[in-house]
Amino acid sequence: MRRVHLETLAPRCPVCEAPSPLRLERVLREEREHVLEGWLSCTNPACQREFPLVDGVPQFARDLRAHVKAQTLAFLGRDELDELSESWLGDCSGPQSEFDTLRQHLSQYSWDHWAEFDPLESERDPAPGSIVRVLNALWRQVGALPDGPLLEIGCSAGRTSFELARRSERLTLGVDLHQGKLRLAQRVLRDSRVRYARRRVGVTYDRREFTVPTPAADKLDFWSVDAAQAPFADGSFAAVVALNVLDSTHAPLDLLRSSARLLAPGGALVLACPYDWSTAAAPLEHWFGGHSQRGPNAGASEPVLRSMLGWSGDAQLARLELQSELDGLEWNVRLHERSVMRYRLHGVVARRR
Ligand SMILES: C[S@@+](CC[C@H](N)C(=O)[O-])C[C@H]1O[C@@H](n2cnc3c(N)ncnc32)[C@H](O)[C@@H]1O
């Protein structure tokens, strides 16, 4: 965590929501301008909650116990093991184990975000970097922005946040809930190095390690934040970007409302979504479409999203105005050597009035 981000963004306590910002209470480990371990605390005497910093990632969870319990392995995760040692851990813990799921997610997102810089990377059809191509296409629609920092929700392994910081030269924050991906993003920020296990087949993986370009890294930081309950003041950001998050979050409507609240007047909301709804992320009642085929939208998701941008029934959403749409943006998720999932994304740029 960079102190400049803490001072500029002044996060509030996600539990009591007192207006005074959290205080960096204790630093246990620091490396150059990055605080790696320690904790922040709420200055409200009636609350005094603590928010730990692990591997450079501050944890702003409202329910910290549930947040940590759900991903203890990721918090304890280590990547200094030799790849052969890691391979027997994979064999023994087996498919669908917590270890296997963690490795697979890191393989998928590290590949698309960073593998274009891997000298050993051979995959060309499709080539890695699809999420950067999606961001580029949408960012061209954005135009002028008010002053202020940028926020990326669901930043995962961090590549698109780097792109946003590079393009805008503004203070940029990437937030996610997944400690494994955030740790990887923080490592790239500090060392410009990517180290990940690239899935070959089953539970076999090849270790990859390479240097990546990180322009504007001094503008960027990565935090663990639930964007549906983001601990920032109204109007804190000039743009909010959320790529492939609406259908993989527990409360899509809250995430949209929160994004609208965080935007400064004239700010841009940039969304892309494959509408790959699943109850693993959110109950059916929370999906935007994907059900109720007999209704006026015949179950389609796009009209539901459009109707929410500017919806007068909600004070936050009413402030949004649809600016432009792009459909059919290609996004690829590489599962293993013989399988890549190709999605066609619906992209939207909206303005905060
Ligand atoms: C499908 S992934 C997309 C990642 C990245 N944007 C990309 O397209 O490559 C969705 C990401 O959103 C994160 N996420 C889901 N709900 C979130 C929330 N409420 N706040 C912050 N991040 C969230 C997940 O942890 C996951 O990393």
Side-chain angles (χ1 to χ4, degrees), residues 109 112-113 131 152-156 175-178 181 225-228 243-245 248-250 255 331:
Y109 290 97
D112 190 44
H113 284 222
I131 197 60
E152 184 182 14
I153 296 171
C155 62
S156 181
V175 301
D176 206 291
L177 291 166
H178 191 285
K181 298 177 193 169
V225 165
D226 182 344
L243 307 175
N244 308 319
V245 187
S248 44
T249 195
H250 55 97
L255 192 126
W331 176 51

mmCIF file of all heavy atoms in Angstrom, residues 109 112-113 131 152-156 175-178 181 225-228 243-245 248-250 255 331, ligand 1:
data_model
loop_
_atom_site.group_PDB
_atom_site.id
_atom_site.type_symbol
_atom_site.label_atom_id
_atom_site.label_comp_id
_atom_site.label_asym_id
_atom_site.label_seq_id
_atom_site.Cartn_x
_atom_site.Cartn_y
_atom_site.Cartn_z
ATOM 1 N N TYR A 109 -6.151 -15.780 -15.176
ATOM 2 C CA TYR A 109 -6.068 -14.307 -15.226
ATOM 3 C C TYR A 109 -4.646 -13.822 -15.457
ATOM 4 O O TYR A 109 -4.433 -12.825 -16.146
ATOM 5 C CB TYR A 109 -6.722 -13.695 -13.977
ATOM 6 C CG TYR A 109 -8.213 -13.890 -14.056
ATOM 7 C CD1 TYR A 109 -8.832 -14.948 -13.408
ATOM 8 C CD2 TYR A 109 -8.982 -13.069 -14.859
ATOM 9 C CE1 TYR A 109 -10.190 -15.177 -13.542
ATOM 10 C CE2 TYR A 109 -10.346 -13.278 -14.996
ATOM 11 C CZ TYR A 109 -10.942 -14.335 -14.336
ATOM 12 O OH TYR A 109 -12.284 -14.555 -14.493
ATOM 13 N N ASP A 112 -4.118 -14.103 -19.349
ATOM 14 C CA ASP A 112 -4.692 -13.072 -20.213
ATOM 15 C C ASP A 112 -4.100 -11.693 -19.914
ATOM 16 O O ASP A 112 -3.885 -10.892 -20.820
ATOM 17 C CB ASP A 112 -6.219 -13.032 -20.090
ATOM 18 C CG ASP A 112 -6.832 -12.131 -21.157
ATOM 19 O OD1 ASP A 112 -6.401 -12.225 -22.325
ATOM 20 O OD2 ASP A 112 -7.704 -11.301 -20.834
ATOM 21 N N HIS A 113 -3.832 -11.423 -18.642
ATOM 22 C CA HIS A 113 -3.324 -10.088 -18.283
ATOM 23 C C HIS A 113 -1.861 -9.890 -18.699
ATOM 24 O O HIS A 113 -1.480 -8.814 -19.130
ATOM 25 C CB HIS A 113 -3.462 -9.853 -16.779
ATOM 26 C CG HIS A 113 -4.868 -9.545 -16.347
ATOM 27 N ND1 HIS A 113 -5.182 -8.573 -15.435
ATOM 28 C CD2 HIS A 113 -6.064 -10.084 -16.718
ATOM 29 C CE1 HIS A 113 -6.496 -8.519 -15.259
ATOM 30 N NE2 HIS A 113 -7.054 -9.434 -16.023
ATOM 31 N N ILE A 131 -8.263 -8.719 -22.482
ATOM 32 C CA ILE A 131 -8.922 -7.736 -21.603
ATOM 33 C C ILE A 131 -8.362 -6.329 -21.850
ATOM 34 O O ILE A 131 -9.087 -5.339 -21.708
ATOM 35 C CB ILE A 131 -8.828 -8.168 -20.110
ATOM 36 C CG1 ILE A 131 -9.835 -7.394 -19.272
ATOM 37 C CG2 ILE A 131 -7.427 -8.022 -19.536
ATOM 38 C CD1 ILE A 131 -11.267 -7.575 -19.681
ATOM 39 N N GLU A 152 -10.594 1.029 -10.610
ATOM 40 C CA GLU A 152 -10.991 -0.187 -11.329
ATOM 41 C C GLU A 152 -11.510 -1.214 -10.328
ATOM 42 O O GLU A 152 -10.796 -1.623 -9.406
ATOM 43 C CB GLU A 152 -9.849 -0.818 -12.134
ATOM 44 C CG GLU A 152 -10.445 -2.004 -12.896
ATOM 45 C CD GLU A 152 -9.496 -2.824 -13.738
ATOM 46 O OE1 GLU A 152 -8.277 -2.696 -13.597
ATOM 47 O OE2 GLU A 152 -10.031 -3.644 -14.531
ATOM 48 N N ILE A 153 -12.734 -1.650 -10.559
ATOM 49 C CA ILE A 153 -13.364 -2.659 -9.702
ATOM 50 C C ILE A 153 -13.140 -4.035 -10.336
ATOM 51 O O ILE A 153 -13.346 -4.206 -11.532
ATOM 52 C CB ILE A 153 -14.888 -2.390 -9.587
ATOM 53 C CG1 ILE A 153 -15.131 -1.050 -8.887
ATOM 54 C CG2 ILE A 153 -15.583 -3.526 -8.854
ATOM 55 C CD1 ILE A 153 -16.590 -0.607 -8.921
ATOM 56 N N GLY A 154 -12.707 -5.019 -9.536
ATOM 57 C CA GLY A 154 -12.450 -6.355 -10.074
ATOM 58 C C GLY A 154 -11.193 -6.356 -10.931
ATOM 59 O O GLY A 154 -11.152 -6.929 -12.018
ATOM 60 N N CYS A 155 -10.139 -5.745 -10.393
ATOM 61 C CA CYS A 155 -8.899 -5.543 -11.171
ATOM 62 C C CYS A 155 -8.140 -6.841 -11.381
ATOM 63 O O CYS A 155 -7.251 -6.920 -12.228
ATOM 64 C CB CYS A 155 -8.000 -4.539 -10.457
ATOM 65 S SG CYS A 155 -7.467 -5.120 -8.824
ATOM 66 N N SER A 156 -8.415 -7.867 -10.581
ATOM 67 C CA SER A 156 -7.785 -9.180 -10.736
ATOM 68 C C SER A 156 -6.259 -9.061 -10.733
ATOM 69 O O SER A 156 -5.682 -8.470 -9.829
ATOM 70 C CB SER A 156 -8.344 -9.845 -12.001
ATOM 71 O OG SER A 156 -7.805 -11.115 -12.188
ATOM 72 N N VAL A 175 -9.202 -2.434 -7.250
ATOM 73 C CA VAL A 175 -9.720 -3.164 -6.087
ATOM 74 C C VAL A 175 -10.279 -4.513 -6.528
ATOM 75 O O VAL A 175 -10.782 -4.662 -7.646
ATOM 76 C CB VAL A 175 -10.801 -2.366 -5.300
ATOM 77 C CG1 VAL A 175 -10.250 -1.050 -4.798
ATOM 78 C CG2 VAL A 175 -12.066 -2.147 -6.133
ATOM 79 N N ASP A 176 -10.167 -5.466 -5.641
ATOM 80 C CA ASP A 176 -10.700 -6.799 -5.876
ATOM 81 C C ASP A 176 -10.938 -7.398 -4.488
ATOM 82 O O ASP A 176 -10.657 -6.759 -3.468
ATOM 83 C CB ASP A 176 -9.708 -7.647 -6.689
ATOM 84 C CG ASP A 176 -10.402 -8.744 -7.495
ATOM 85 O OD1 ASP A 176 -10.921 -9.707 -6.869
ATOM 86 O OD2 ASP A 176 -10.437 -8.652 -8.733
ATOM 87 N N LEU A 177 -11.456 -8.635 -4.464
ATOM 88 C CA LEU A 177 -11.647 -9.311 -3.176
ATOM 89 C C LEU A 177 -10.749 -10.531 -3.057
ATOM 90 O O LEU A 177 -10.652 -11.130 -1.991
ATOM 91 C CB LEU A 177 -13.116 -9.769 -3.054
ATOM 92 C CG LEU A 177 -14.133 -8.657 -2.892
ATOM 93 C CD1 LEU A 177 -15.545 -9.193 -3.123
ATOM 94 C CD2 LEU A 177 -14.036 -8.067 -1.493
ATOM 95 N N HIS A 178 -10.098 -10.899 -4.168
ATOM 96 C CA HIS A 178 -9.350 -12.153 -4.247
ATOM 97 C C HIS A 178 -7.889 -11.908 -3.861
ATOM 98 O O HIS A 178 -7.135 -11.269 -4.598
ATOM 99 C CB HIS A 178 -9.452 -12.668 -5.684
ATOM 100 C CG HIS A 178 -8.966 -14.059 -5.879
ATOM 101 N ND1 HIS A 178 -7.628 -14.380 -5.906
ATOM 102 C CD2 HIS A 178 -9.640 -15.219 -6.074
ATOM 103 C CE1 HIS A 178 -7.497 -15.679 -6.109
ATOM 104 N NE2 HIS A 178 -8.698 -16.208 -6.218
ATOM 105 N N LYS A 181 -4.971 -12.941 -6.384
ATOM 106 C CA LYS A 181 -4.779 -12.064 -7.539
ATOM 107 C C LYS A 181 -4.204 -10.718 -7.098
ATOM 108 O O LYS A 181 -3.347 -10.147 -7.771
ATOM 109 C CB LYS A 181 -6.112 -11.849 -8.257
ATOM 110 C CG LYS A 181 -6.730 -13.113 -8.824
ATOM 111 C CD LYS A 181 -8.071 -12.772 -9.451
ATOM 112 C CE LYS A 181 -8.887 -14.002 -9.745
ATOM 113 N NZ LYS A 181 -10.272 -13.657 -10.113
ATOM 114 N N VAL A 225 -11.127 -4.453 -1.499
ATOM 115 C CA VAL A 225 -12.321 -3.649 -1.178
ATOM 116 C C VAL A 225 -13.520 -4.330 -1.806
ATOM 117 O O VAL A 225 -13.445 -4.740 -2.974
ATOM 118 C CB VAL A 225 -12.170 -2.221 -1.777
ATOM 119 C CG1 VAL A 225 -13.493 -1.482 -1.790
ATOM 120 C CG2 VAL A 225 -11.119 -1.410 -1.036
ATOM 121 N N ASP A 226 -14.607 -4.440 -1.068
ATOM 122 C CA ASP A 226 -15.865 -4.869 -1.675
ATOM 123 C C ASP A 226 -16.502 -3.631 -2.297
ATOM 124 O O ASP A 226 -16.946 -2.726 -1.587
ATOM 125 C CB ASP A 226 -16.791 -5.478 -0.610
ATOM 126 C CG ASP A 226 -18.089 -5.986 -1.229
ATOM 127 O OD1 ASP A 226 -18.398 -5.607 -2.387
ATOM 128 O OD2 ASP A 226 -18.794 -6.759 -0.559
ATOM 129 N N ALA A 227 -16.515 -3.608 -3.631
ATOM 130 C CA ALA A 227 -16.951 -2.400 -4.326
ATOM 131 C C ALA A 227 -18.412 -2.075 -4.054
ATOM 132 O O ALA A 227 -18.835 -0.934 -4.229
ATOM 133 C CB ALA A 227 -16.715 -2.556 -5.824
ATOM 134 N N ALA A 228 -19.190 -3.064 -3.628
ATOM 135 C CA ALA A 228 -20.594 -2.793 -3.318
ATOM 136 C C ALA A 228 -20.718 -1.994 -2.019
ATOM 137 O O ALA A 228 -21.768 -1.416 -1.742
ATOM 138 C CB ALA A 228 -21.367 -4.103 -3.218
ATOM 139 N N LEU A 243 -14.810 -4.425 -15.495
ATOM 140 C CA LEU A 243 -14.843 -5.324 -16.650
ATOM 141 C C LEU A 243 -15.115 -6.745 -16.170
ATOM 142 O O LEU A 243 -14.354 -7.290 -15.360
ATOM 143 C CB LEU A 243 -13.501 -5.258 -17.398
ATOM 144 C CG LEU A 243 -13.041 -3.843 -17.794
ATOM 145 C CD1 LEU A 243 -11.650 -3.879 -18.422
ATOM 146 C CD2 LEU A 243 -14.039 -3.182 -18.736
ATOM 147 N N ASN A 244 -16.203 -7.303 -16.619
ATOM 148 C CA ASN A 244 -16.551 -8.692 -16.297
ATOM 149 C C ASN A 244 -16.773 -8.909 -14.805
ATOM 150 O O ASN A 244 -16.372 -9.942 -14.257
ATOM 151 C CB ASN A 244 -15.467 -9.652 -16.816
ATOM 152 C CG ASN A 244 -15.177 -9.392 -18.275
ATOM 153 O OD1 ASN A 244 -16.099 -9.151 -19.045
ATOM 154 N ND2 ASN A 244 -13.912 -9.394 -18.655
ATOM 155 N N VAL A 245 -17.397 -7.946 -14.173
ATOM 156 C CA VAL A 245 -17.626 -8.050 -12.732
ATOM 157 C C VAL A 245 -19.114 -8.200 -12.401
ATOM 158 O O VAL A 245 -19.469 -8.949 -11.491
ATOM 159 C CB VAL A 245 -17.046 -6.817 -11.976
ATOM 160 C CG1 VAL A 245 -17.133 -7.024 -10.471
ATOM 161 C CG2 VAL A 245 -15.598 -6.567 -12.373
ATOM 162 N N SER A 248 -20.188 -11.578 -11.858
ATOM 163 C CA SER A 248 -19.412 -12.451 -10.962
ATOM 164 C C SER A 248 -19.336 -11.858 -9.558
ATOM 165 O O SER A 248 -18.433 -12.180 -8.803
ATOM 166 C CB SER A 248 -18.007 -12.724 -11.519
ATOM 167 O OG SER A 248 -17.439 -11.573 -12.004
ATOM 168 N N THR A 249 -20.321 -11.016 -9.248
ATOM 169 C CA THR A 249 -20.333 -10.443 -7.908
ATOM 170 C C THR A 249 -21.608 -10.849 -7.174
ATOM 171 O O THR A 249 -22.606 -11.185 -7.801
ATOM 172 C CB THR A 249 -20.192 -8.904 -7.981
ATOM 173 O OG1 THR A 249 -19.865 -8.421 -6.686
ATOM 174 C CG2 THR A 249 -21.447 -8.231 -8.496
ATOM 175 N N HIS A 250 -21.544 -10.763 -5.836
ATOM 176 C CA HIS A 250 -22.669 -11.252 -5.028
ATOM 177 C C HIS A 250 -23.890 -10.337 -5.108
ATOM 178 O O HIS A 250 -25.013 -10.753 -4.897
ATOM 179 C CB HIS A 250 -22.227 -11.413 -3.565
ATOM 180 C CG HIS A 250 -21.643 -10.149 -2.983
ATOM 181 N ND1 HIS A 250 -22.367 -9.276 -2.229
ATOM 182 C CD2 HIS A 250 -20.405 -9.598 -3.087
ATOM 183 C CE1 HIS A 250 -21.588 -8.247 -1.873
ATOM 184 N NE2 HIS A 250 -20.397 -8.437 -2.380
ATOM 185 N N LEU A 255 -23.452 -3.061 -6.558
ATOM 186 C CA LEU A 255 -22.192 -2.657 -7.187
ATOM 187 C C LEU A 255 -22.425 -1.485 -8.153
ATOM 188 O O LEU A 255 -21.656 -0.518 -8.184
ATOM 189 C CB LEU A 255 -21.574 -3.844 -7.913
ATOM 190 C CG LEU A 255 -20.133 -3.603 -8.356
ATOM 191 C CD1 LEU A 255 -19.236 -4.715 -7.819
ATOM 192 C CD2 LEU A 255 -20.028 -3.576 -9.850
ATOM 193 N N TRP A 331 -13.476 -11.542 -25.400
ATOM 194 C CA TRP A 331 -12.707 -11.750 -24.159
ATOM 195 C C TRP A 331 -12.458 -13.249 -24.018
ATOM 196 O O TRP A 331 -13.386 -14.047 -24.162
ATOM 197 C CB TRP A 331 -13.497 -11.227 -22.955
ATOM 198 C CG TRP A 331 -12.831 -11.472 -21.637
ATOM 199 C CD1 TRP A 331 -11.547 -11.175 -21.303
ATOM 200 C CD2 TRP A 331 -13.425 -12.059 -20.468
ATOM 201 N NE1 TRP A 331 -11.304 -11.529 -19.990
ATOM 202 C CE2 TRP A 331 -12.439 -12.070 -19.466
ATOM 203 C CE3 TRP A 331 -14.702 -12.571 -20.165
ATOM 204 C CZ2 TRP A 331 -12.678 -12.581 -18.178
ATOM 205 C CZ3 TRP A 331 -14.937 -13.063 -18.891
ATOM 206 C CH2 TRP A 331 -13.938 -13.069 -17.922
HETATM 207 C C1 LIG B 1 -14.527 -12.470 -13.895
HETATM 208 S S1 LIG B 1 -13.281 -11.678 -12.962
HETATM 209 C C2 LIG B 1 -12.760 -10.406 -14.089
HETATM 210 C C3 LIG B 1 -11.405 -9.868 -13.752
HETATM 211 C C4 LIG B 1 -10.862 -8.786 -14.687
HETATM 212 N N1 LIG B 1 -11.647 -7.577 -14.639
HETATM 213 C C5 LIG B 1 -10.772 -9.309 -16.085
HETATM 214 O O1 LIG B 1 -11.732 -9.072 -16.844
HETATM 215 O O2 LIG B 1 -9.785 -9.960 -16.435
HETATM 216 C C6 LIG B 1 -14.206 -10.759 -11.775
HETATM 217 C C7 LIG B 1 -13.366 -10.176 -10.652
HETATM 218 O O3 LIG B 1 -14.174 -9.312 -9.858
HETATM 219 C C8 LIG B 1 -13.875 -9.517 -8.501
HETATM 220 N N2 LIG B 1 -15.040 -9.090 -7.715
HETATM 221 C C9 LIG B 1 -16.251 -9.698 -7.633
HETATM 222 N N3 LIG B 1 -17.072 -9.017 -6.808
HETATM 223 C C10 LIG B 1 -16.365 -7.947 -6.364
HETATM 224 C C11 LIG B 1 -16.672 -6.872 -5.465
HETATM 225 N N4 LIG B 1 -17.885 -6.785 -4.878
HETATM 226 N N5 LIG B 1 -15.721 -5.963 -5.201
HETATM 227 C C12 LIG B 1 -14.493 -6.066 -5.788
HETATM 228 N N6 LIG B 1 -14.155 -7.048 -6.653
HETATM 229 C C13 LIG B 1 -15.076 -7.986 -6.932
HETATM 230 C C14 LIG B 1 -13.553 -11.009 -8.416
HETATM 231 O O4 LIG B 1 -12.775 -11.328 -7.281
HETATM 232 C C15 LIG B 1 -12.808 -11.244 -9.716
HETATM 233 O O5 LIG B 1 -11.421 -11.082 -9.583
#
